[in-house]
Amino acid sequence: MLDVAALARTPLQRDPFPYVIVPAFVRASALEAIHAAYPKIERAGSFPVEELTFGPAFQSLLRAVEGPAFRRAIEQKFGIDLSGRPTMVTVRGQARLGDGKIHSDSKTKLITVLIYMNGQWEAKGGRLRLLRSPDDLNDVAAEVPPDAGTLLAFKVTGNSWHGHEPFQGQRRAIQLNWVTDESVVRREHSRHRLSAKLKRLNPFARYA
């Protein structure tokens, strides 16, 4: 399902922070089944997989990205030991115009992995940009169209700035993070559950 060999072959980029982009990382033969099994998400925001319903092919993808072969490939690519580090997986299905503001992930995250599942992306907005500065969306080191099967992985650093131009509509992404410890997972899950509850009460409000 995953082309781990392609990840191994792709050079690590270091400007402005360590990252790797692998188109077609999810094999084309698996995409149709994964699309059909993708959780139905009608609201913007990130949702923990534990709160979603999905089909067997999507479950297989989750097992693969949390499996030992992928972890070893990431360890080798970034020169990092992830043994004993917990993982946290969230899923997106929709984007709102307020999404994509420039940010750098929290220090409790060690590695961020994004796998996109959107077919061929035609829109100008919604293309993640890896940036050299925290306040200029045009200071671009690389731009990642969220095409189906594309992998982006980066090491979380003090300057791992990223964001995208506004887009509203379906934008599917799976995010996996290796984090410092289990307390991070518990805290983030609580935050996401609260956010989901608030969205149900007021679906037009914006929450993290």
Side-chain angles (χ1 to χ4, degrees):
M1 183 173 279
L2 304 180
D3 193 349
V4 177
L7 171 59
R9 291 193 303 269
T10 304
L12 181 70
Q13 305 299 316
R14 299 184 181 276
D15 174 28
F17 51 87
Y19 71 90
V20 62
I21 301 168
V22 186
F25 177 69
V26 180
R27 296 185 186 277
S29 58
L31 290 177
E32 184 176 354
I34 295 170
H35 279 304
Y38 201 94
K40 291 179 172 55
I41 301 175
E42 304 298 334
R43 301 189 304 275
S46 296
F47 297 86
V49 291
E50 295 82 0
E51 298 181 11
L52 299 172
T53 301
F54 41 80
F58 191 82
Q59 181 66 66
S60 296
L61 175 62
L62 295 179
R63 282 198 295 266
V65 297
E66 292 193 276
F70 182 55
R71 189 199 75 214
R72 286 194 297 270
I74 291 291
E75 287 178 323
Q76 292 168 5
K77 184 60 60 180
F78 289 92
I80 187 172
D81 182 6
L82 297 172
S83 57
R85 301 293 192 178
T87 56
M88 183 172 62
V89 181
T90 56
V91 184
R92 286 181 176 267
Q94 302 288 330
R96 62 199 163 205
L97 291 176
D99 291 342
K101 291 183 172 59
I102 298 173
H103 66 285
S104 179
D105 290 354
S106 67
K107 294 179 180 179
T108 57
K109 296 176 180 178
L110 303 172
I111 297 287
T112 292
V113 172
L114 291 163
I115 298 176
Y116 293 107
M117 297 296 300
N118 297 288
Q120 186 172 354
W121 193 261
E122 302 291 347
K124 178 182 177 182
R127 298 167 179 262
L128 193 69
R129 293 177 176 178
L130 308 184
L131 304 169
R132 295 189 173 91
S133 60
D135 52 11
D136 185 357
L137 197 56
N138 293 312
D139 192 4
V140 181
E143 185 175 78
V144 189
D147 296 336
T150 296
L151 166 78
L152 164 67
F154 63 87
K155 188 174 183 179
V156 178
T157 66
N159 68 320
S160 53
W161 306 108
H162 54 285
H164 62 74
E165 290 192 345
F167 174 82
Q168 183 170 328
Q170 182 173 283
R171 185 177 182 273
R172 290 177 163 185
I174 301 152
Q175 180 168 319
L176 166 69
N177 291 101
W178 278 275
V179 298
T180 51
D181 56 64
E182 286 290 348
S183 68
V184 178
V185 179
R186 292 193 296 270
R187 183 172 66 250
E188 288 296 307
H189 281 181
S190 296
R191 184 176 69 85
H192 284 298
R193 280 194 294 269
L194 175 61
S195 177
K197 182 178 179 180
L198 293 172
K199 286 171 188 171
R200 286 193 294 270
L201 294 172
N202 185 358
F204 300 104
R206 291 181 178 177
Y207 303 101

